[in-house]
Amino acid sequence: MDRGMVGNPSRGRLIVEVRRHGASSIVSPAGELDHHTAELLRAPLEGCVRDGDARVIVDCSQLDFCDSTGLNVLLGARLKAEAAGGAIHLAAMGPVVARVFEITGAGAVFTVHDTLDAALAD
């Protein structure tokens, strides 16, 4: 089931697609996740948690950049998901985004998968 996309494609900064795959929701942000675009990711993540999705996979394969605001969106979603008995998994981070998680140590609090396929198989 496709839940659609949020964001403004003409802006080109961040587009977020949400879709179902079995018991998981896959949230796919594409573009730059920063203080200008963070709300475009926060809303769909919180929607998945609110809808009772036990596992939300964030497919980072098309995420070009993530600043501290974006990181905080992901951390906040993780806390809300865990409080509801669910989890946020991250998949397919490129080097630029992975570096943010490495520097901050935030990668240690998420389940991180090398690929989306690996996250779906877990």
Side-chain angles (χ1 to χ4, degrees), residues 24-79:
S24 299
S25 283
I26 302 169
V27 178
S28 302
E32 298 178 3
L33 177 57
D34 59 25
H35 68 282
H36 295 291
T37 62
E39 191 58 36
L40 295 173
L41 181 59
R42 183 187 328 272
L45 286 174
E46 289 181 358
C48 290
V49 172
R50 192 174 42 254
D51 290 347
D53 295 346
R55 187 167 81 141
V56 178
I57 301 169
V58 180
D59 176 7
C60 300
S61 63
Q62 295 182 50
L63 196 56
D64 299 323
F65 176 79
C66 180
D67 73 0
S68 61
T69 306
L71 180 61
N72 283 327
V73 166
L74 293 166
L75 289 167
R78 181 188 70 86
L79 291 175

